Amino acid sequence: MEPQHTPSSEGSAETNDIFDTSRFWGFKPQIRRALEKHQTCKVAIFLKALLKRCLIDPNVDDLDGIFRQCLEGVVQLCNGEKSTQLRTYLQAYCGQFKTERRRYASFVTLCNYALEALSTLEDLPLSLHQPASDDEKLLFHVSHIRTIECDHGYREPDVVLVTRSTAKNAAHSEDESDEWRDIMKTATGLPHNAFDWKTSKLVCEFNIQHQIMTPIPELYQPKGEPRKIRPVPFEADVVDAMAMSANGPQPSTSQDSEEVSKKAQPTGSKRPSSNDAEGSSPKRPKYEEESDEESPTEPTLIRTVLYGAEHLAHRKHSASAMEIVIIDSVAYIWWYDRQGAIQSYGLDFIEDLPHFMVLLLILQRLPPEGWGILNTLDSSLQIPGPHGELRFKIGNRLLRSWCIHGRATAIFDIVEQTLPPAIPAHLVNLIRTDGLLAKLMWVESNRVQEGMIIEEIYKRMAEKMTEEDRAAVEGHIPDLIAWKLFDELSTKTIRNDLGIGADDISGRVLSLSVFRRLRPITELEGDDFLRAWWDCVLCHLALWKVGVRHRDISVGNLMYYKYEGRVMGVLIDFDLSSLLKEDEDNDPTGTDCRGTLEFMATDLLPGEYAPREREHLYQHDFESFFWVLTWVAHRYQGGKEIQNPPFNDWWPHFRESKISFLMDVVTKRRLPPPTSSFKDVWLNVGKVLGETIMHLQISGRILAEPQSYFDEMKKQLDAFGLKLGVNALNSIPQIALGVPASAAQL
């Protein structure tokens, strides 16, 4: 089970599911939250916002005029000499088919013919980017059955949008014909090789429920607004999928343009889930014969949001992703970025072909940044830091996040670096030994950023900390070399363009930080783990005393390095932290509970009997340290996670599960055994802390003073060690020992 993050006080996802969505791999709480809370926008406004991204100069005053000119140009195409062929393809799409899959080829042929016609259309604004040429031209391609692998299984998109060069590679033919008819024929069949998420632009996911009876107009008119077909709500998607699975498809009886039309109600559909009981599935064969049998699977919107998450995760530098849902003859545009999901109103491409042609025109003219691809991050970068400007290039990605909404932290290698001349010599030596890493994440623009917090920590260390506390922090926080906010890359931009960017909701912007490379604490075991873990506990306490609230203690935020043969624990990831001002006794954002659910204190977790608001106290972060120790002691052996580790069943009832675990610690029953690497650590430290935390909760004692709570915990550990005839902390460096004098200069 991957750690689940809660980006705000909302906590975890609701658990009263009407449909068992947990069986779909990757449909984690934060993915579900993005779907449940997605925003909507009228399709004409959506098209204009996308068209703006196709302009050579997007800062235009007459976007409405440019949109109108594009619409008038495609109307001429729809009614001109190419109209006969377009209507033929539309009629083919509306034909009788045994299964939904048989309709994909007609859709692909229609779209590719339209794209070819649009590439030579002359009556278009000169301010548009020109279409790509030759192998970089876009085309739609059938993809179903041909599985696209992901980290834990496979997915089967129906139709993908790719470049011709990508299609040629998938066709496994170096000398594929450039003749348009040959390309069209190839695109309507299954590729020899599967496509991948990096090279596909978007996915068209279909849900055909009824015989398509929309009449094709004799003459298309340049209407300013398409007919109003409301977006598909997530609840309807799930409910109808469940009904479909039980009863089969129902005939269409009516249409209502002011509501989600019955023909646009999604149903459960086609393929079996890509999950087994363990949350992942065996790989499918490379090729399967096409069958007319349809098997139930996850609802359409769930499939589509998972495709969006795949695109965001697999592209090296991605700011956004787009997908299209086709329900009968109605297209819905979906936009995904780190602020969430946006769905357009429906667009019937048979009834209103001109607006659909404008959408195809936009897809054809979008530059890479319009697709959310940040190629600038692959060039040489120069960003400021506390010791001067750092020049470097970003290398291979070492860690990525699989999510829609949130920080989406990604870690990269640093290559071709030129260090600032003012950087201290001892730090240069450490960098030469350990190397540098770049951390990219999407941070809330209205929060104090991690780089500023770390700079403030150094300031408070010099001005406010005692010598004892300073020794607990020096060498135990990350070495920040450089950082920058890319304010121009804001998720608020698209929402302002769509008219849905509320003033009281901050957008997310891309943050880039460069740190000295560290190692995960899960690599350690026994005394070495305990040393690094205790270093972080002491560092956290010293920071709390001077008003630095970390508030996200988790296994991923405890790291280590070795200095002169000694393990040094490091507390990292201060981007959810807050800073108290000198005149503040309590954190003004202290009830905004954030963190990683597996490691959050039980008092802060959502649940049936949980308090609605609870101030985030020191004892809550200390409890998080306990959960980190518990997690590692039961799930890691020899630096690696064991197979079928415990605690996977905590989701989604984290609060109840963790309270039950603490009760079992006290009553000494039903506890999973720690791994052999951590038996002594758990018995001498973890078990004692668990009992003490539970007794304090049962007694109702609140030790608001951080030092008092810390002293109580340490007293229990010392007493337990003396009772056993050993000192439970005999392998842990005391705070008074600090760090070596040479390391204290860090």
Side-chain angles (χ1 to χ4, degrees):
M1 180 176 68
E2 298 179 17
Q4 311 292 323
H5 296 272
T6 171
S8 66
S9 56
E10 296 167 7
S12 62
E14 295 294 328
T15 59
N16 55 338
D17 292 342
I18 54 175
F19 190 82
D20 182 17
T21 57
S22 63
R23 68 187 180 91
F24 310 131
W25 180 83
F27 197 58
K28 302 189 293 185
Q30 56 267 53
I31 299 270
R32 174 174 179 148
R33 188 181 300 113
L35 193 53
E36 287 179 325
K37 297 184 177 298
H38 77 267
Q39 297 174 280
T40 61
C41 177
K42 291 183 178 178
V43 68
I45 298 174
F46 215 129
L47 291 175
K48 290 176 185 177
L50 296 178
L51 180 64
K52 183 178 179 181
R53 285 150 179 77
C54 299
L55 301 178
I56 298 171
D57 179 10
N59 299 315
V60 295
D61 296 327
D62 190 21
L63 183 61
D64 289 339
I66 294 174
F67 180 79
R68 187 166 51 251
Q69 187 178 348
C70 291
L71 187 60
E72 291 171 353
V74 299
V75 166
Q76 296 178 23
L77 190 63
C78 295
N79 296 328
E81 59 182 21
K82 296 185 183 293
S83 64
T84 301
Q85 195 64 57
L86 286 170
R87 292 169 188 275
T88 299
Y89 294 141
L90 285 173
Q91 289 170 349
Y93 181 82
C94 295
Q96 295 282 353
F97 294 96
K98 289 184 179 180
T99 68
E100 173 189 292
R101 294 172 177 172
R102 304 292 182 182
R103 212 177 295 269
Y104 301 161
S106 299
F107 178 83
V108 165
T109 304
L110 167 68
C111 291
N112 287 342
Y113 182 85
L115 286 172
E116 186 68 17
L118 289 168
S119 66
T120 58
L121 188 62
E122 296 180 352
D123 297 329
L124 291 174
L126 296 176
S127 54
L128 286 175
H129 282 287
Q130 292 300 305
S133 58
D134 302 328
D135 281 352
E136 295 309 306
K137 285 186 176 180
L138 297 181
L139 78 157
F140 288 83
H141 202 299
V142 171
S143 177
H144 77 100
I145 294 182
R146 180 67 67 235
T147 60
I148 301 182
E149 293 185 3
C150 49
D151 291 345
H152 293 74
Y154 62 88
R155 304 201 191 280
E156 295 178 355
D158 296 335
V159 171
V160 296
L161 180 65
V162 295
T163 63
R164 289 187 180 182
S165 60
T166 299
K168 287 181 180 180
N169 292 335
H172 198 62
S173 174
E174 295 290 338
D175 55 354
E176 187 73 25
S177 171
D178 286 328
E179 290 294 327
W180 180 80
R181 291 186 181 279
D182 293 335
I183 293 173
M184 290 279 284
K185 183 178 179 181
T186 301
T188 57
L190 289 177
H192 184 276
N193 299 318
F195 297 109
D196 61 54
W197 301 107
K198 295 178 184 177
T199 55
S200 62
K201 299 291 187 181
L202 59 74
V203 167
C204 291
E205 187 65 19
F206 287 76
N207 198 319
I208 309 299
Q209 307 163 45
H210 313 293
Q211 179 182 351
I212 298 175
M213 303 180 66
T214 303
I216 302 174
E218 295 183 4
L219 193 69
Y220 285 105
Q221 302 293 335
K223 298 186 297 182
E225 292 280 345
R227 179 169 63 91
K228 190 175 182 181
I229 304 175
R230 292 192 179 277
V232 181
F234 171 60
E235 293 80 4
D237 184 57
V238 172
V239 169
D240 204 53
M242 188 167 59
M244 180 68 176
S245 178
N247 305 319
Q250 303 298 318
S252 176
T253 56
S254 65
Q255 292 185 13
D256 184 351
S257 62
E258 282 299 313
E259 298 180 0
V260 181
S261 63
K262 288 190 178 294
K263 76 172 189 174
Q265 286 280 359
T267 65
S269 176
K270 303 159 288 200
R271 293 171 297 279
S273 169
S274 62
N275 300 76
D276 60 11
E278 295 299 325
S280 63
S281 70
K283 299 292 196 304
R284 291 282 296 270
K286 285 287 185 181
Y287 178 76
E288 285 186 14
E289 293 295 334
E290 186 170 359
S291 169
D292 285 339
E293 294 184 3
E294 306 275 14
S295 302
T297 183
E298 62 263 40
T300 306
L301 299 191
I302 293 181
R303 289 197 303 275
T304 307
V305 74
L306 293 176
Y307 296 151
E310 296 288 1
H311 274 130
L312 287 172
H314 284 80
R315 293 169 181 165
K316 184 177 179 182
H317 305 300
S318 184
S320 61
M322 263 194 300
E323 318 294 347
I324 296 177
V325 171
I326 306 289
I327 300 179
D328 293 343
S329 61
V330 178
Y332 300 85
I333 309 166
W334 279 84
W335 173 281
Y336 303 102
D337 61 23
R338 299 314 184 182
Q339 194 172 333
I342 308 171
Q343 179 188 189
S344 77
Y345 278 48
L347 173 61
D348 192 317
F349 56 84
I350 296 176
E351 172 189 291
D352 193 349
L353 182 60
H355 277 95
F356 185 71
M357 294 281 279
V358 171
L359 172 59
L360 295 180
L361 174 68
I362 289 168
L363 300 180
Q364 185 185 67
R365 306 299 177 99
L366 276 175
E369 55 270 23
W371 290 103
I373 300 171
L374 307 177
N375 288 332
T376 55
L377 294 179
D378 282 324
S379 59
S380 182
L381 299 172
Q382 185 173 331
I383 63 174
H387 309 293
E389 286 192 329
L390 173 71
R391 297 183 181 181
F392 65 98
K393 288 190 70 174
I394 293 177
N396 295 324
R397 182 166 54 183
L398 306 177
L399 173 72
R400 69 177 178 218
S401 299
W402 207 89
C403 63
I404 297 289
H405 175 277
R407 292 174 289 168
T409 303
I411 306 296
F412 294 86
D413 256 333
I414 290 291
V415 296
E416 300 180 19
Q417 66 199 33
T418 302
L419 296 176
I423 195 167
H426 71 274
L427 190 50
V428 172
N429 293 332
L430 287 171
I431 291 171
R432 287 173 179 169
T433 302
D434 301 330
L436 294 176
L437 291 177
K439 179 168 77 169
L440 279 80
M441 58 185 178
W442 293 85
V443 298
E444 295 173 87
S445 59
N446 64 346
R447 290 187 63 85
V448 180
Q449 304 307 319
E450 182 178 30
M452 299 173 63
I453 290 175
I454 292 178
E455 290 176 356
E456 179 65 20
I457 287 174
Y458 281 109
K459 181 180 177 182
R460 295 189 182 189
M461 282 171 59
E463 297 176 356
K464 295 184 177 182
M465 283 188 183
T466 65
E467 183 177 348
E468 187 178 63
D469 285 348
R470 193 179 306 120
V473 175
E474 290 171 334
H476 301 290
I477 59 174
D479 290 311
L480 177 65
I481 310 302
W483 71 283
K484 178 181 179 180
L485 282 181
F486 294 84
D487 294 309
E488 67 277 13
L489 301 175
S490 173
T491 58
K492 197 73 178 285
T493 303
I494 182 70
R495 287 160 179 79
N496 289 339
D497 291 342
L498 296 176
I500 56 176
D503 293 336
D504 59 339
I505 299 177
S506 66
R508 290 184 177 269
V509 297
L510 183 64
S511 168
L512 169 59
S513 304
V514 179
F515 296 96
R516 180 166 60 89
R517 184 193 290 261
L518 300 167
R519 307 298 303 175
I521 198 173
T522 53
E523 292 182 351
L524 302 173
E525 54 188 12
D527 290 350
D528 282 343
F529 170 83
L530 212 50
R531 285 191 186 96
W533 177 83
W534 192 248
D535 279 344
C536 295
V537 171
L538 299 180
C539 175
H540 174 272
L541 174 62
L543 293 175
W544 190 283
K545 292 178 182 178
V546 294
V548 180
R549 306 291 191 255
H550 188 281
R551 306 204 309 177
D552 188 19
I553 304 301
S554 65
V555 70
N557 290 340
L558 273 59
M559 308 289 282
Y560 82 96
Y561 66 99
K562 288 190 175 181
Y563 188 83
E564 296 182 349
R566 181 199 188 280
V567 168
M568 304 278 287
V570 181
L571 182 62
I572 69 165
D573 204 357
F574 287 83
D575 55 286
L576 287 185
S577 303
S578 59
L579 295 169
L580 267 66
K581 299 177 182 178
E582 291 197 21
D583 57 346
E584 291 176 336
D585 294 326
N586 297 310
D587 187 353
T589 62
T591 57
D592 182 13
C593 298
R594 303 172 180 235
T596 308
L597 297 175
E598 283 81 353
F599 311 107
M600 287 177 67
T602 53
D603 277 355
L604 301 182
L605 287 168
E608 186 175 358
Y609 300 104
R612 289 192 174 273
E613 266 195 6
R614 177 63 64 92
E615 183 182 356
H616 195 130
L617 303 173
Y618 170 78
Q619 67 186 57
H620 297 134
D621 272 7
F622 192 98
E623 185 181 330
S624 293
F625 279 110
F626 161 76
W627 291 116
V628 169
L629 188 148
T630 301
W631 186 268
V632 177
H634 291 82
R635 293 173 66 98
Y636 284 85
Q637 173 73 31
K640 296 182 179 180
E641 191 172 51
I642 63 175
Q643 291 187 345
N644 303 318
F647 313 140
N648 284 346
D649 57 349
W650 283 2
W651 184 88
H653 307 287
F654 287 103
R655 185 172 189 272
E656 293 77 6
S657 299
K658 291 165 79 170
I659 290 176
S660 176
F661 179 86
L662 286 172
M663 290 295 296
D664 291 343
V665 170
V666 173
T667 58
K668 301 177 176 58
R669 60 189 176 96
R670 295 186 305 174
L671 282 175
T675 65
S676 59
S677 297
F678 290 93
K679 184 177 180 180
D680 291 340
V681 171
W682 173 250
L683 290 177
N684 294 338
V685 179
K687 189 171 180 294
V688 181
L689 290 179
E691 291 176 348
T692 308
I693 289 170
M694 194 63 196
H695 284 310
L696 285 174
Q697 290 185 1
I698 293 173
S699 66
R701 288 178 63 195
I702 298 178
L703 300 175
E705 176 61 35
Q707 190 68 52
S708 300
Y709 190 89
F710 174 85
D711 290 342
E712 176 70 20
M713 291 296 168
K714 189 170 181 301
K715 181 179 71 174
Q716 296 299 324
L717 289 172
D718 289 339
F720 186 80
L722 292 172
K723 185 172 67 174
L724 288 180
V726 297
N727 183 356
L729 298 181
N730 61 359
S731 62
I732 304 177
Q734 300 301 303
I735 192 169
L737 298 178
V739 298
S742 55
Q745 299 172 13
L746 299 178

